[in-house]
Amino acid sequence: MVTLADCQRTQHAWFQALAQATGGRAFSTHKMDWVWLPETREMLCMFPTEITAAGLKPALSEAERRGASSVGIWLNASVREGLLPEYGFDPGWKPWWMTRALDLESVSKASDALEERIGLTAVVDDQVWLATARIKEEWAGRSYAFLPPEQDGKHLAGIFDMEVAPEHRRSGIGTSLLNALSEAAFNAGAEHLLLNATPDGQRLYRQHGFELIGKGQTWWFHPPR
């Protein structure tokens, strides 16, 4: 069984892996765990159980020093926002946590439907994959799958950063990306997939067997320039 805690832990691990791969960093400030992503210039706090001034102030100072474009707080739906409005944070989008079991039958069906327009790259062997869609050499979409190395015996892979070019939406690109990543993760030992979806995006995932197990919340601060 996949839990909300599993989803949150995998999301946090993904951002930590991104930070490590792109010259960012992860750090903690008084019960708040942060990740700095230099490519998107985002400072993110991942699922704190308590919002404190002692946790916020040094991270906001670090975000200002690094020229962050945004500071985001990812929260479990049961955690109150506390001091966030006082520090200029506004409520943002709500992640829909969704999961799906992987088995040989479902992956075999997906494999039969794979198309030549999808390219798959193992960024890190048996851990990170990038699926890229191209139509007549034109970039059409991409997504990642991530199988964290340490999961206390669980075999969960996350689907992250799904993006389809506006002009190629509703053409099956999202399905093809998902199929390619599902097969790669399954072959590496994943038994379940998990992801966070937007209210619009969840329609695609429901069509492919994903079930909603809970919702989260985000809060965002955009430093003045």
Side-chain angles (χ1 to χ4, degrees):
M1 176 180 178
V2 183
T3 67
L4 285 176
D6 292 326
C7 294
Q8 293 174 177
R9 183 167 52 251
T10 304
Q11 182 77 55
H12 191 176
W14 169 243
F15 282 140
Q16 287 179 314
L18 270 183
Q20 183 177 7
T22 58
R25 65 181 293 240
F27 61 98
S28 297
T29 60
H30 196 74
K31 300 181 181 180
M32 300 180 74
D33 295 323
W34 299 85
V35 178
W36 165 245
L37 301 177
E39 288 195 341
T40 55
R41 295 172 53 226
E42 292 179 301
M43 186 76 78
L44 304 176
C45 181
M46 304 308 298
F47 310 107
T49 56
E50 182 182 358
I51 307 295
T52 66
L56 282 173
K57 288 181 178 179
L60 290 175
S61 295
E62 179 72 359
E64 181 180 6
R65 185 182 74 82
R66 291 181 176 271
S69 60
S70 61
V71 180
I73 313 287
W74 289 60
L75 290 175
N76 184 291
S78 65
V79 176
R80 300 294 298 273
E81 69 272 14
L83 299 170
L84 291 180
E86 298 177 27
Y87 281 81
F89 284 82
D90 295 313
W93 70 289
K94 298 182 183 298
W96 289 37
W97 297 109
M98 305 185 76
T99 70
R100 170 194 144 189
L102 286 175
D103 55 48
L104 182 60
E105 181 180 2
S106 63
V107 171
S108 295
K109 290 180 179 178
S111 179
D112 292 341
L114 290 179
E115 305 172 35
E116 293 183 357
R117 59 185 178 176
I118 304 298
L120 186 70
T121 302
V123 181
V124 179
D125 288 344
D126 295 329
Q127 185 176 341
V128 182
W129 302 267
L130 168 63
T132 305
R134 295 187 180 277
I135 297 178
K136 296 181 179 179
E137 302 302 318
E138 178 184 354
W139 185 91
R142 65 104 169 93
S143 185
Y144 289 89
F146 174 55
L147 183 62
E150 298 180 7
Q151 303 187 56
D152 296 328
K154 291 195 172 184
H155 304 281
L156 314 175
I159 301 294
F160 296 108
D161 299 338
M162 174 75 76
E163 182 181 1
V164 177
E167 63 271 24
H168 295 298
R169 290 174 184 169
R170 302 187 184 281
S171 65
I173 291 292
T175 295
S176 297
L177 292 170
L178 185 59
N179 287 343
L181 294 172
S182 297
E183 182 180 13
F186 178 77
N187 289 339
E191 297 175 355
H192 286 84
L193 290 179
L194 58 86
L195 53 82
N196 66 78
T198 62
D200 288 335
Q202 58 88 21
R203 296 186 182 92
L204 167 67
Y205 302 119
R206 284 188 187 277
Q207 294 173 4
H208 295 281
F210 283 83
E211 296 182 354
L212 177 68
I213 64 170
K215 299 179 183 179
Q217 54 184 322
T218 63
W219 285 74
W220 296 90
F221 170 69
H222 300 281
R225 297 187 177 182

